[in-house]
Amino acid sequence: MSAPSPPEPSASRLGPWHWGALAVSVAPLALYAFSSRVKDLELYFNTARSFLAGATPNQDFRFEYPPYALLWFVPAAWLGGTLKAFVPLFGLQLTLFDAFSKWLLLSEGTRRWGRSARAWLPFAVYSVASWIQSVHYLKRYDLIPATFTLAALVALSRRRDVLAGLALSVGIVTKLYPVVLVPLALAVCWRRGSWGAARRLVLGLALGVLPLVPLSAFWPWWGFASFHVERGLQVESLGASLLWALHLLGWVRDVAWVHATAAFELHGAAAEWVKDATRWTWVVGSLASAAVGLWAVRRRAPERVEDLARLALLPLVAFVVLNPVLSPQYLVWLTGVAGLALLSGSRWAPIAIFVAAVITRGIFAGSTYGTGIGPLHAMLLLVRNGLLLAAGFALAREAWRSAASLDGASARGTQDAPAEAGEGR
């Protein structure tokens, strides 16, 4: 099937209906920003106020996030002054990032499909997911690095390599996880046949981390890593969900659902074994998924933004679903990129990711999460993790088969060449 012709320039511009839809999609979140629900916002406020008072992170108080995270907390804390004022101000700040992400999805949709109904699909699905996820979407800061990651992929697809590197590095120093996309981005630039593109990407990456040099003089920002190394088996991770299901069935008894420092974890001898196995699986699986993506890029550079998004989802999904910590807000990392992947190709994997994001909210609704979820919510958790795992396998299979088909076509071309040459003589 041939690719559709690009839309006319006038059809690829956002019109009044697009801007109206964007306003409608953002409005419920802007209202929810004023919700009194605090969640992690109290931690953000307290650390920002301590920083503004002259305390040094990881010296005077423990800071569990990469350094740029704190800098995103400071404006609302400085303007608000109190936790009550901080909550809506920070929520409105996140709403701006939400609006920008949705604008990107709308822009890429119209750029790709013009006035076709499919142009609306990424934006529409993402908007619904953002509303359902609101409790994790606007009460955590993960939307910030997710928006930078989405912007980096769009910039990379448009060959704005410095901007792509800058956005990617800011996302990394805000939440770390976008680092898994650096090899893919470098490979894409190299595969386009231009070392200049790779150098421009590296320049953007360097510009994004440059402020860490003066920060290092008085702030041991690298101390956040030790906090995460010490974390246990978080209850929503793939290994923990399987272990808890076995516990509910009565097959494993030495398992305790415990409220630890940063999250709920499973403790006990069996949980320790699963945690160690999960860490190895996480490392190997993440490296393997990245390798599959690099192999696919080596054979053909993704030119369309949706092709790049599908390859980016490979290491991102592996990093999330195989992680010994799978907090609910981690799904925010995936949904924007999954939206781009809906622009063309098989819809199964990105839709599975969106369904998993929606299911995540149901895991908490009416559950006894504080003391240990029951069979129904455990089943929801297993389905959520199973969908993420299946999406990862589907994306890997798609990338592998696409690259293998190119190898097969190349091999057939090589075999046919001598015969054609012989016929010419």
Side-chain angles (χ1 to χ4, degrees):
M1 181 177 176
S2 60
S5 57
E8 295 294 327
S10 59
S12 63
R13 300 192 191 101
L14 297 186
W17 284 104
H18 295 100
W19 292 109
L22 181 61
V24 169
S25 72
V26 172
L29 297 172
L31 292 174
Y32 186 71
F34 291 89
S35 163
S36 58
R37 187 187 293 264
V38 175
K39 290 290 185 179
D40 284 6
L41 299 188
E42 184 174 8
L43 172 63
Y44 302 167
F45 172 75
N46 290 335
T47 53
R49 292 301 299 178
S50 296
F51 181 72
L52 289 170
T56 301
N58 296 326
Q59 284 186 347
D60 301 319
F61 64 92
R62 189 173 192 178
F63 189 65
E64 62 190 67
Y65 305 116
Y68 285 5
L70 178 57
L71 303 183
W72 293 111
F73 305 159
V74 164
W78 179 70
L79 289 171
T82 65
L83 177 60
K84 185 177 180 180
F86 174 85
V87 170
L89 285 173
F90 190 75
L92 291 173
Q93 176 180 293
L94 290 179
T95 303
L96 293 177
F97 280 93
D98 167 74
F100 183 71
S101 293
K102 290 172 179 173
W103 173 79
L104 282 176
L105 292 174
L106 264 179
S107 298
E108 290 303 308
T110 55
R111 182 186 177 95
R112 179 77 171 85
W113 293 99
R115 294 190 177 92
S116 169
R118 187 155 189 176
W120 291 86
L121 183 61
F123 164 78
V125 175
Y126 183 86
S127 294
V128 173
S130 71
W131 298 337
I132 296 174
Q133 291 186 99
S134 58
V135 66
H136 309 302
Y137 194 72
L138 286 190
K139 300 301 180 180
R140 304 286 194 278
Y141 83 96
D142 296 75
L143 177 57
I144 297 174
T147 301
F148 277 105
T149 301
L150 185 64
L153 291 176
V154 171
L156 188 61
S157 72
R158 297 188 184 185
R159 298 177 182 255
R160 300 176 67 177
D161 304 308
V162 175
L163 181 59
L166 179 61
L168 193 57
S169 63
V170 171
I172 291 168
V173 191
T174 299
K175 193 66 179 185
L176 191 62
Y177 80 88
V179 73
V180 301
L181 299 182
V182 172
L184 176 67
L186 288 170
V188 168
C189 289
W190 173 81
R191 183 62 179 81
R192 287 171 178 166
S194 170
W195 283 107
R199 286 195 294 268
R200 289 192 295 272
L201 180 74
V202 171
L203 173 62
L205 290 168
L207 289 174
V209 300
L210 191 61
L212 293 181
V213 177
L215 276 178
S216 302
F218 64 91
W219 175 359
W221 52 264
W222 51 88
F224 79 93
S226 62
F227 171 84
H228 294 279
V229 170
E230 298 166 3
R231 295 188 69 171
L233 185 68
Q234 195 260 353
V235 295
E236 294 174 58
S237 64
L238 177 62
S241 64
L242 293 170
L243 181 59
W244 188 250
L246 294 175
H247 174 71
L248 291 176
L249 290 170
W251 295 355
V252 180
R253 299 196 178 277
D254 183 23
V255 180
W257 185 289
V258 177
H259 190 191
T261 304
F264 286 91
E265 299 174 353
L266 295 187
H267 287 187
E272 285 298 312
W273 185 89
V274 172
K275 180 184 71 174
D276 293 338
T278 299
R279 283 180 173 173
W280 281 107
T281 304
W282 179 39
V283 172
V284 173
S286 296
L287 291 175
S289 65
V292 171
L294 293 177
W295 186 61
V297 170
R298 183 172 177 267
R299 277 142 184 81
R300 179 171 59 192
E303 292 297 331
R304 300 179 302 183
V305 68
E306 61 264 37
D307 299 329
L308 179 60
R310 299 176 88 85
L311 289 176
L313 278 174
L314 252 177
L316 286 175
V317 170
F319 189 86
V320 168
V321 74
L322 301 178
N323 203 315
V325 176
L326 206 175
S327 296
Q329 65 270 22
Y330 288 10
L331 276 294
V332 177
W333 304 354
L334 306 177
T335 49
V337 184
L340 288 178
L342 283 171
L343 285 173
S344 69
S346 171
R347 303 179 189 181
W348 194 93
I351 288 295
I353 291 170
F354 277 110
V355 173
V358 171
I359 288 176
T360 297
R361 185 68 187 95
I363 295 168
F364 297 87
S367 71
T368 54
Y369 194 87
T371 56
I373 58 176
L376 176 61
H377 291 89
M379 181 62 68
L380 279 175
L381 180 57
L382 287 171
V383 171
R384 192 279 304 271
N385 290 345
L387 282 171
L388 291 176
L389 194 62
F393 276 116
L395 290 164
R397 182 172 177 266
E398 178 184 298
W400 185 272
R401 292 182 68 177
S402 175
S405 67
L406 288 173
D407 281 350
S410 177
R412 286 192 299 272
T414 303
Q415 292 172 359
D416 293 344
E420 293 172 359
E423 291 170 2
R425 281 197 291 268

